[in-house]
Structures are given as C-alpha cells and as structure tokens.
Amino acid sequence: MNTKKGTLLVVSGPAGSGKGTVNKVLLENTEKYVFSVSATTRSPRPGEVEGIHYFFMTREKFMSLVEEDNFLEHAEYVDNCYGTLRPFVEENLAQGKNVILDIEVQGALQVREKMPEALLVFLCPPNYATLERRLRGRGTETEEVIQERLKTALTELQIAAQYDYLVVNEDNKAEECAAKIDGIIDTRPEKNKEYILDFIKNFTE
Ligand code: 5GP
C-alpha cells in the first residue's frame, strides 16, 4: 500500500497565544494528528509528565543527542535547550500522520530550511492589549517576567512574517482556531503575506 505522507505542522506563538489549548483540540483527532514530544533541559513544571509533555534531560545528554544528529531542529530559549527528535517525526510522517511541533520561532525557521514542505502556522492573540491581559491574568508571574514575555512576544511576532499562515486566537476561540488550522492542512488556501504584514504592523496600535 502506498501511504500518503503526512504534513509536518509547526505551530508557534507567544506565551498567551493559547497554542497549547489549540493543539490539544487538534490532537483529539488521533487518527489524523500526532504530537512530537520535544527534548528539553528545563525542569518539569508541576503536573508535567516525562514522555508526554517533554523528555526531560541534562544538558550533557541533550548535547550528545545533538552530536548524534538526533534533532530535526534545536534551539536555546530562556536559558534552556529544546529540540525536536527527528526519528519520531520521520516515522510518523511516513505513516501518513500529520505531526504537530509546538516550537519557538528559531526552531521553526530551521525546520523551514530542512523540510521546505512543512507548514508553518503562527498563532497570535488579536492585539497587544489582549496579550498583556492574558499574561497578567495568569497571576503567577512577577512584573519583571511579564515585561520580559511581552518583549519576547514582539520579537517573535516579527518572525511571523516568515510563516505560511497567521491564525488569530480571540478569547475562548480555541475550537475555531483548531478548525481553521485543520482546514489549512486539508485545503492549503492561498497564502496572504500582506495580511500577515498588516497584522504585525497594527498589533501594538
Ligand atoms: P515551555 O518551556 O514554556 O514549555 O516552552 C518554551 C518555548 O519553547 C515555547 O515557545 C515552546 O513552543 C518552545 N519549544 C518547545 N519544544 C521545542 C522544541 O523542540 N524546539 C524548539 N525550537 N522550541 C521548542
């Protein structure tokens, strides 16, 4: 049997974009989507499970995987290393599954280089005020951390110009966003670079 290769779907977005929730909705369709569990050197947060959220490891172990060319991409983000395990991705794509990568922008651009057929989606809150409100709403971070996240988000947003699609996540619209991304996978609508550039320009206004 000749199985059609799956799509490599990169979903990036700043903290507060809601990408975790959107991915969760997509992954409910277990026939169609599979999540690529990344390796990381950061410590597990409460509730995070080894092999489900991440493969947690030391920096030494991570670097040995780099040397053995085990990563499709890897990047450093806020003092920790993160990487996508290549064998898992390749096997699942070959089996016809669409593989979801929840990765930051530097890694996404590496994926673009190595696998130009990958689909890059940037998920974003509708505007800066909403982003700020969501980050503050968590109530767990200091003002300094919030300011840092906001700054990072603006830098990341600039890189969204290089993505294929930008999907805006209004409040409580994870289901709609997931449906939109699912539609993109199925129909590959025409890309609209101008829309993305305009969105970036207007984001802080
Ligand atoms: P967190 O530590 O909050 O789970 O993730 C921090 C950032 O790292 C998020 O933007 C997440 O998308 C990104 N990330 C998670 N796994 C990977 C990975 O394998 N590669 C890259 N480049 N980024 C990742």
Side-chain angles (χ1 to χ4, degrees):
M1 202 178 72
N2 197 359
T3 312
K4 190 171 166 280
K5 212 174 162 229
T7 297
L8 184 57
L9 172 63
V10 174
V11 182
S12 304
S17 64
K19 69 188 160 158
T21 316
V22 171
N23 285 341
K24 227 167 153 185
V25 177
L26 286 169
L27 287 159
E28 281 169 9
N29 187 344
T30 51
E31 286 292 302
K32 192 169 175 183
Y33 294 102
V34 66
F35 184 67
S36 160
V37 179
S38 294
T40 184
T41 61
R42 87 151 158 75
S43 309
R45 297 190 186 120
E48 283 185 334
V49 179
E50 166 75 11
I52 297 208
H53 299 96
Y54 283 106
F55 295 106
F56 298 98
M57 60 186 66
T58 60
R59 197 169 269 261
E60 288 69 36
K61 172 74 185 163
F62 190 94
M63 292 326 282
S64 74
L65 291 177
V66 172
E67 302 222 324
E68 291 159 14
D69 198 25
N70 258 300
F71 289 122
L72 174 61
E73 61 73 37
H74 62 95
E76 187 137 356
Y77 185 86
V78 200
D79 300 334
N80 286 302
C81 302
Y82 295 84
T84 301
L85 294 158
R86 182 204 301 279
F88 178 88
V89 170
E90 288 178 349
E91 280 159 27
N92 279 279
L93 289 177
Q95 286 168 22
K97 284 274 172 86
N98 300 306
V99 181
I100 299 181
L101 305 188
D102 171 344
I103 65 175
E104 51 70 64
V105 291
Q106 300 303 328
L109 295 184
Q110 291 174 43
V111 171
R112 149 98 346 126
E113 286 280 305
K114 290 193 187 154
M115 289 194 176
E117 70 279 16
L119 218 143
L120 270 58
V121 174
F122 195 88
L123 196 69
C124 197
N127 49 50
Y128 188 80
T130 306
L131 175 69
E132 191 169 7
R133 174 170 48 75
R134 286 185 193 168
L135 289 178
R136 286 190 195 289
R138 297 177 170 189
T140 48
E141 273 101 18
T142 61
E143 182 58 28
E144 197 186 340
V145 171
I146 290 169
Q147 290 304 331
E148 198 54 45
R149 295 242 161 112
L150 286 167
K151 220 170 87 193
T152 306
L154 290 183
T155 314
E156 288 171 338
L157 185 62
Q158 295 307 316
I159 300 179
Q162 297 176 57
Y163 277 58
D164 298 311
Y165 301 96
L166 183 136
V167 172
V168 177
N169 191 7
E170 306 272 352
D171 289 343
N172 307 314
K173 291 284 188 252
E175 298 273 346
E176 281 86 338
C177 287
K180 231 179 236 176
I181 295 173
D182 191 49
I184 290 173
I185 287 274
D186 288 343
T187 64
R188 305 292 174 112
E190 206 176 311
K191 295 175 195 172
N192 191 341
K193 193 102 192 167
E194 226 164 88
Y195 163 73
I196 298 182
L197 292 175
D198 271 354
F199 180 89
I200 295 172
K201 208 169 105 227
N202 296 328
F203 188 73
T204 50
E205 283 172 5

